[in-house]
Amino acid sequence: MTRADDLYRDLATALQETPKVPCLGIDRFTADIKDLAPNESTQLGFAYCSHCPVKPACVAYADAARPPAGVWGGRTYSPRTPRTP
Ligand code: SF4
């Protein structure tokens, strides 16, 4: 079991215990990183993550696991690939 696994379990518990997680049901949080507009993750972070009660657990997990997709605590973890015209 890795540290990321432990932190994922903590995040899952926090999500289960929280009645209203701001990003639930918003597909932009699970979008492929290449499909996000420039600064979109930051904008989502201000709009939703800034008042999320599970943000500490979300960010702790994402910092450890560096998920290749999605927005976590208002940021992404994979390098953006250039779009082709
Ligand atoms: S901090 Fe994490 S769980 Fe909370 S709204 Fe943002 S992405 Fe969702």
Side-chain angles (χ1 to χ4, degrees):
M1 178 103 24
T2 67
R3 174 159 172 71
D5 293 332
D6 291 339
L7 292 167
Y8 183 80
R9 191 173 54 238
D10 293 346
L11 173 59
T13 300
L15 290 169
Q16 288 176 342
E17 293 175 348
T18 303
K20 181 84 175 100
V21 177
C23 66
L24 288 184
I26 299 174
D27 63 358
R28 301 310 294 158
F29 279 89
T30 55
D32 281 345
I33 293 169
K34 66 179 175 37
D35 294 332
L36 294 170
N39 297 323
E40 186 173 358
S41 61
T42 301
Q43 292 167 352
L44 289 168
F46 280 123
Y48 297 95
C49 304
S50 61
H51 58 276
C52 176
V54 303
K55 184 176 180 181
C58 178
V59 171
Y61 163 70
D63 281 350
R66 302 190 62 79
V71 175
W72 301 80
R75 63 164 291 189
T76 60
Y77 286 84
S78 290
R80 184 182 302 277
T81 55
R83 291 177 189 237
T84 54

